[in-house]
Amino acid sequence: MSDSKSNRMKELVELLNKASEAYYAKDTEIMSNYEYDKLYDELVELEKETGITMSGSPTVNVGYAAVAELPKESHASPMLSLDKTKSREELRAWLNGHDGILSWKLDGLTIVLTYNEGKLIKAVTRGNGEIGEVITPNARVFKNIPLEIAFKGELVLRGEAVISYSDFERINASIDSEAEKYKNPRNLCSGSVRQLNNEVTAKRNVRFVAFNLVSAIENGKDYDLKNSRSNSFKFLEEQGFEVVQRKNVNEDNILEAIEYFAKAIEEYDIPSDGLVLTYEDIAYGASLGRTAKFPRHSIAFKWADETAETILREIEWSASRTGLINPVAIFDPVELEGTTVTRASVHNVSIVRELKLGIGDRIRVYKANMIIPQISENLTGSGNVVIPKVCPVCGRETVIKAVNEAQTLNCVNDECPAKQIKSFAQFVSREALNIDGLSEATLEKLIDCGFIHEYSDLYNLERFKERIVAFEGFGEKSYENMIAAINESRKTTLPRVIFGLGIAGIGSANAKLISKAYDYDIEKIKAAEASDLAQIDKIGDVMAENIVRYFADASNVEKLDRLISCLEIEKPVVTADSKKLEGLVFVVTGSLHSFASRNDIKELIESKGGKVTGSVTGKTTCLINNDNTSSSTKNKTAQSLGVPVITEDEFIEKYLEN
């Protein structure tokens, strides 16, 4: 073996293990899945070519060691990862004439559950495949795990703990700092599952999706599943588990099934990074044995990312209201997964430098999991992109900070207009004061001219009429429409005001909970103690401290008082009608005809005591969908859980008119 190959293998082992450590143990990412797979495949080829496997190679060591904070436990049998392919024909050939089951490969954290005498007694993470972490108290608060089941023998099953994209976006929306937001649902899920305090886990809406029945023993004998993987899935569903979506396949229909999943992933709310194919015949699969790392009864299919070559034309540095300045790549248009793509987030300074990006470079771009545009590689590597020394908005000096091993560019000027523009943009947004027509561009002009410094200034713009009418592209009509929208917003509610203030971590849903808890009295909220606020459902210690800190600032209170003097804040009147939907949970999907938007129907349901969530679960009262025959994921989930699917008119007739 040449020294160059030996050195390259050592380099790859070090790189891949570092990436695995960040991914599995620290819940961060230092390289994309695309890059990891590419390097892993290179290492596999070198090991085949040389016949040598380096000590510590990820091709023989599964996963990364569990952290020490949680109790550890050895698995009864090693939890091996799966061999993989990106070829559809190779997947088809793998069946070799046998029937199989094709299902999602979910991107979360693998968990092993054990039930005895019908009760959940243990939950253990996959860990490094040999030893996992005991997270039983946390599993008990997963949103959909049955704590007691009908089967009274010993049941062991595996599944994936996941957080949906909907919940991921909701949780990230409650985090003020861009640098502190979670990068993807998988990282958020991993951290949520491994909390030392399961109250945190409970607030994250972690779901468990079963994908394998390991064993079911009753009266000392294996439960008879007729040697059928399909029967094992049905058995788990009968016990109340959410089971991975799947299709029965053979060599004749597997390509059609793959195409179904390829289209479905565009709207699938659970993170998935591919598919899993397993033999329907359990005994046959088991008879094939295993390699040192892979079982032979199943194989993973990774999406062959469609890539395109293009030219990098610009790096746009986008400032946010938190001070983070995000690099965005602008390139010549390319077609990916049926859409035209011209931009891709580069995430941070570390990735700009790692990719050695330069203007005019030939780059390859792809859509991660067929959704999010990203740069896969730089074919030129000129590295001529200059990290800005000053903020693109205020011109003040920038600072590079290290966050979770990644370098980010930041503006530390508290008076930076970008911070103000983003704050004002939230204040006028639909879920806050809902001032229609006040775009960021208009807000920027108003701020640059010194017309607005705080929120109350928006309600005193008439004195600047002549100068505003003179704005380029504005005019008398635009001015009148803007003032009309501002005046219309004067009549509002306390939750809208609280959300509009931009208190760190407080989203619109949290603002409603806080307002209700304090009887819609802003003075009570101003004087609230952190310990009391933290007792409100879904308001934890961090958010409680943020609220107290905000109102402890005399300047904030003075500005709020001036704002309130401009508003007419309505206090909800508690009537029998306002509790009409209390205890009921709805999910809304598809187009509407009686309501202007989903937000309108959501507000109506909440005004009557009901709740609207983004995902269908066993607790959902009904799914509102005007196309109740569609094959959408939400409809299928509702049908599998026995949740009624009703039209908008049926909802009005059944829940509002009666």
Side-chain angles (χ1 to χ4, degrees):
M1 179 177 62
S2 67
D3 287 342
S4 61
K5 289 181 180 178
S6 172
N7 291 336
R8 180 56 177 164
M9 289 172 70
K10 290 176 182 177
E11 181 183 12
L12 288 170
V13 168
E14 183 178 351
L15 280 171
L16 292 168
N17 283 340
K18 187 175 180 180
S20 292
E21 178 180 1
Y23 190 76
Y24 288 107
K26 298 181 180 178
D27 304 329
T28 61
E29 281 189 54
I30 59 174
M31 68 173 65
S32 68
N33 286 340
Y34 183 99
E35 184 67 14
Y36 184 94
D37 287 345
K38 180 181 175 183
L39 297 178
Y40 184 93
D41 290 343
E42 181 186 349
L43 179 60
V44 169
E45 288 303 313
L46 283 171
E47 289 180 346
K48 285 181 181 177
E49 183 180 339
T50 62
I52 294 174
T53 302
M54 297 287 188
S55 174
S57 170
T59 65
V60 292
N61 295 334
V62 183
Y64 191 79
V67 296
E69 287 83 351
L70 292 168
K72 296 179 181 179
E73 181 172 302
S74 298
H75 296 296
S77 58
M79 294 182 63
L80 305 176
S81 57
L82 298 178
D83 199 359
K84 64 181 184 293
T85 180
K86 291 187 177 182
S87 165
R88 299 187 181 200
E89 286 296 339
E90 194 173 309
L91 199 68
R92 180 185 183 183
W94 183 88
L95 284 170
N96 195 28
H98 295 272
D99 291 337
I101 296 178
L102 191 65
S103 63
W104 292 116
K105 183 177 182 291
L106 302 179
D107 192 17
L109 195 69
T110 301
I111 306 291
V112 184
L113 300 183
T114 302
Y115 287 76
N116 202 1
E117 297 182 355
K119 295 182 179 180
L120 175 64
I121 62 168
K122 188 167 55 180
V124 184
T125 68
R126 179 180 181 275
N128 67 359
E130 299 282 346
I131 300 173
E133 298 163 305
V134 180
I135 48 97
T136 311
N138 294 350
R140 291 183 183 279
V141 298
F142 287 1
K143 66 186 294 184
N144 65 338
I145 279 187
L147 299 181
E148 189 166 348
I149 59 176
F151 183 71
K152 300 307 178 186
E154 183 181 80
L155 174 67
V156 181
L157 69 150
R158 293 174 183 166
E160 201 81 355
V162 294
I163 287 180
S164 68
Y165 286 114
S166 301
D167 285 324
F168 169 72
E169 291 166 4
R170 172 184 60 80
I171 292 168
N172 255 358
S174 71
I175 300 173
D176 188 57
S177 170
E178 290 292 330
E180 293 177 6
K181 289 181 184 289
Y182 295 95
K183 189 170 183 180
N184 55 49
R186 195 269 169 203
N187 288 357
L188 173 59
C189 181
S190 178
S192 301
V193 167
R194 297 157 65 209
Q195 289 286 327
L196 297 180
N197 181 351
N198 69 350
E199 287 185 25
V200 178
T201 307
K203 293 176 181 177
R204 300 283 177 79
N205 273 355
V206 179
R207 292 165 61 182
F208 176 84
V209 182
F211 59 70
N212 182 31
L213 191 160
V214 178
S215 63
I217 301 173
E218 190 174 43
N219 298 323
K221 297 180 180 179
D222 288 334
Y223 187 78
D224 187 9
L225 296 168
K226 311 297 182 186
N227 192 37
S228 164
R229 187 75 63 180
S230 296
N231 286 347
S232 71
F233 283 138
K234 290 175 183 176
F235 171 76
L236 290 175
E237 285 174 332
E238 290 168 358
Q239 304 306 312
F241 294 100
E242 180 179 349
V243 178
V244 67
Q245 186 184 354
R246 59 202 180 275
K247 282 185 173 292
N248 292 82
V249 296
N250 53 40
E251 289 181 347
D252 295 329
N253 68 1
I254 188 170
L255 298 182
E256 180 183 338
I258 296 171
E259 187 59 28
Y260 164 81
F261 283 106
K263 292 178 179 177
I265 196 172
E266 296 178 12
E267 296 185 1
Y268 194 48
D269 200 32
I270 299 176
S272 167
D273 56 358
L275 304 173
V276 173
L277 178 61
T278 190
Y279 289 115
E280 160 68 9
D281 187 319
I282 297 173
Y284 174 73
S287 72
L288 299 176
R290 48 171 277 195
T291 66
K293 184 177 181 183
F294 307 121
R296 292 193 173 99
H297 56 65
S298 301
I299 188 172
F301 173 78
K302 300 276 284 185
W303 300 114
D305 299 304
E306 181 183 346
T307 63
E309 186 176 320
T310 184
I311 303 296
L312 179 65
R313 297 300 179 185
E314 180 186 354
I315 292 291
E316 176 184 282
W317 296 90
S318 176
S320 72
R321 71 185 181 94
T322 63
L324 191 67
I325 303 174
N326 300 298
V328 178
I330 314 295
F331 42 79
D332 291 343
V334 290
E335 292 293 318
L336 287 175
E337 312 293 351
T339 60
T340 301
V341 179
T342 59
R343 304 164 62 89
S345 173
V346 192
H347 301 298
N348 54 51
V349 171
S350 294
I351 294 178
V352 171
R353 289 172 170 169
E354 179 188 331
L355 289 171
K356 297 180 181 177
L357 293 179
I359 307 307
D361 282 357
R362 290 185 301 114
I363 59 173
R364 295 197 68 82
V365 294
Y366 74 108
K367 281 189 176 181
N369 289 336
M370 305 172 71
I371 299 172
I372 305 168
Q374 292 188 12
I375 298 175
S376 62
E377 60 182 321
N378 185 355
L379 303 175
T380 307
S382 68
N384 65 36
V385 166
V386 177
I387 309 301
K389 299 284 187 184
V390 298
C391 172
V393 176
C394 70
R396 296 281 288 273
E397 187 178 358
T398 57
V399 174
I400 294 178
K401 299 179 180 179
V403 180
N404 293 332
E405 298 187 6
Q407 292 183 322
T408 62
L409 188 66
N410 298 265
C411 172
V412 294
N413 175 19
D414 291 336
E415 302 302 318
C416 179
K419 297 180 182 180
Q420 296 183 57
I421 291 167
K422 297 297 183 182
S423 296
F424 275 101
Q426 176 168 323
F427 182 80
V428 304
S429 67
R430 177 175 293 180
E431 292 186 312
L433 275 291
N434 193 23
I435 304 178
D436 189 37
L438 263 180
S439 65
E440 287 195 16
T442 301
L443 288 169
E444 185 174 1
K445 291 178 183 178
L446 295 172
I447 292 170
D448 288 345
C449 291
F451 297 164
I452 55 176
H453 301 277
E454 57 186 83
Y455 302 136
S456 61
D457 291 336
L458 286 167
Y459 296 94
N460 296 285
L461 287 174
E462 289 92 339
R463 52 187 171 151
F464 303 112
K465 176 180 177 180
E466 290 185 9
R467 294 177 63 185
I468 294 173
V469 169
F471 283 171
E472 184 178 351
F474 219 72
E476 187 82 28
K477 185 63 176 176
S478 296
Y479 169 81
E480 290 176 357
N481 289 340
M482 180 184 73
I483 295 299
I486 289 172
N487 286 332
E488 188 176 340
S489 76
R490 290 177 186 271
K491 192 172 185 178
T492 188
T493 64
L494 186 58
R496 286 180 175 274
V497 174
I498 296 294
F499 172 63
L501 295 177
I503 301 173
I506 306 303
S508 60
N510 293 330
K512 292 173 184 175
L513 293 171
I514 295 163
S515 299
K516 185 177 180 181
Y518 286 91
D519 195 29
Y520 299 91
D521 187 332
I522 186 61
E523 297 303 322
K524 291 181 180 178
I525 297 174
K526 286 180 185 177
E529 298 286 343
S531 57
D532 294 329
L533 285 161
Q535 298 305 310
I536 301 172
D537 182 37
K538 297 184 179 178
I539 306 297
D541 293 335
V542 174
M543 282 188 277
E545 290 291 347
N546 289 342
I547 296 165
V548 171
R549 190 179 302 113
Y550 183 89
F551 289 115
D553 187 325
S555 174
N556 287 339
V557 174
E558 289 171 6
K559 290 176 182 178
L560 176 59
D561 289 342
R562 287 193 286 270
L563 170 63
I564 290 176
S565 70
C566 302
L567 304 175
E568 181 185 341
I569 299 178
E570 299 175 315
K571 183 175 179 179
V573 178
V574 179
T575 64
D577 189 59
S578 66
K579 294 186 176 182
K580 191 171 187 177
L581 303 180
E582 193 168 46
L584 303 183
V585 182
F586 300 89
V587 175
V588 183
T589 191
S591 59
L592 301 167
H593 56 76
S594 296
F595 296 89
S597 68
R598 292 187 194 176
N599 198 54
D600 287 350
I601 190 173
K602 177 182 178 182
E603 286 194 352
L604 177 64
I605 290 171
E606 290 177 344
S607 73
K608 297 181 182 298
K611 184 178 179 182
V612 178
T613 64
S615 303
V616 179
T617 71
K619 295 181 180 179
T620 304
T621 304
C622 64
L623 170 65
I624 302 170
N625 186 355
N626 285 325
D627 183 6
N628 56 12
T629 62
S630 79
S631 58
S632 69
T633 300
K634 284 186 173 69
N635 272 33
K636 288 183 177 179
T637 303
Q639 290 163 9
S640 69
L641 295 174
V643 173
V645 181
I646 64 174
T647 65
E648 191 180 353
D649 292 336
E650 289 171 333
F651 163 73
I652 293 171
E653 180 182 357
K654 181 174 181 180
Y655 293 99
L656 302 184
E657 294 180 350
N658 292 338

